[in-house]
Amino acid sequence: AAGGQGAVTPGVDGDIGVDTADMAGVLLAALGSPADDNEPFTGAWTERWRGRVAFSSLKAVLGAVELRPLNGVVRSDGQSLTFDDLSAGLGGGTAKGNLTARRLAGALSLSGQLQIAGTDGAALRYRGLSMPAGRVSAQVSIAATGRSKAALLGALNGNGSATIEQPAFKGLDPQAFDAAIEASDRNPMRDEMILGTVVAPALE
């Protein structure tokens, strides 16, 4: 297909399968992110082809999160790049989503959605953080616009909701609340030390 200023934009239609994929590396390469986080995006894949490529990976890694397997479709219209129909196994549950990148007045605009269901909270990790143990379901939308990776991450925003079934928090048992209420009903306590002796066995 003919592109601007006499250039030719390749048309692509195919399938790719790999054993392991570094999703952060693939995404940054697709967005044209230089080694320097403050350098502007180059456009890369978003402007060089049109068409679709279906892909599958037996294992995909995104930071500390593992997806087994991961399937999806990459689509390009020469101006925007979309990771569509994303589906994966995640912590014994499922993850689905999409992500679209568009060139916008010299900057890059990202928007996407993610839905997870029945996922073990321990599988959802970021650096030293993780969700509590329990089955997690969530719906999240994100958006950002920036000229560089640093600017894009700094502008990242979104919203969503999460539900945890039978969560387990270290050092916290819901029975502790019942124990405190029952003890207070029997004999109102104003001394925190006494209340502590009532609640401690439930916490243990």
Side-chain angles (χ1 to χ4, degrees):
Q5 298 179 346
V8 175
T9 303
V12 179
D13 188 357
D15 299 86
I16 294 177
V18 297
D19 291 333
T20 304
D22 175 5
M23 290 306 297
V26 170
L27 182 59
L28 289 175
L31 299 180
S33 178
D36 187 335
D37 292 350
N38 294 302
E39 288 293 319
F41 290 108
T42 62
W45 297 356
T46 57
E47 299 175 350
R48 296 179 181 171
W49 63 286
R50 296 174 183 269
R52 61 173 292 282
V53 176
F55 66 89
S56 61
S57 176
L58 297 179
K59 173 185 174 182
V61 179
L62 183 60
V65 176
E66 289 190 359
L67 305 165
R68 295 176 179 262
L70 171 66
N71 300 287
V73 179
V74 182
R75 294 185 172 90
S76 175
D77 60 8
Q79 295 181 338
S80 64
L81 186 71
T82 300
F83 290 80
D84 209 0
D85 300 327
L86 297 174
S87 63
L90 175 60
T94 60
K96 297 181 179 180
N98 60 73
L99 180 68
T100 298
R102 293 184 177 88
R103 300 293 291 179
L104 184 64
L108 191 69
S109 175
L110 284 183
S111 61
Q113 292 81 38
L114 172 67
Q115 299 88 37
I116 62 175
T119 296
D120 182 1
L124 302 175
R125 301 186 301 275
Y126 175 71
R127 295 181 179 175
L129 303 176
S130 65
M131 294 287 286
R135 289 293 166 184
V136 179
S137 296
Q139 295 184 342
V140 180
S141 296
I142 61 169
T145 300
R147 295 179 180 273
S148 66
K149 176 185 174 183
L152 195 69
L153 292 176
L156 191 64
N157 66 88
N159 59 73
S161 62
T163 301
I164 309 177
E165 297 180 11
Q166 298 181 332
F169 298 89
K170 184 177 181 180
L172 176 61
D173 190 320
Q175 293 181 3
F177 296 101
D178 294 334
I181 292 172
E182 291 176 3
S184 181
D185 287 343
R186 291 194 305 268
N187 182 22
M189 291 176 289
R190 296 181 176 85
D191 190 323
E192 292 183 2
M193 294 296 293
I194 297 176
L195 180 61
T197 62
V198 174
V199 173
L203 291 178
E204 294 173 356

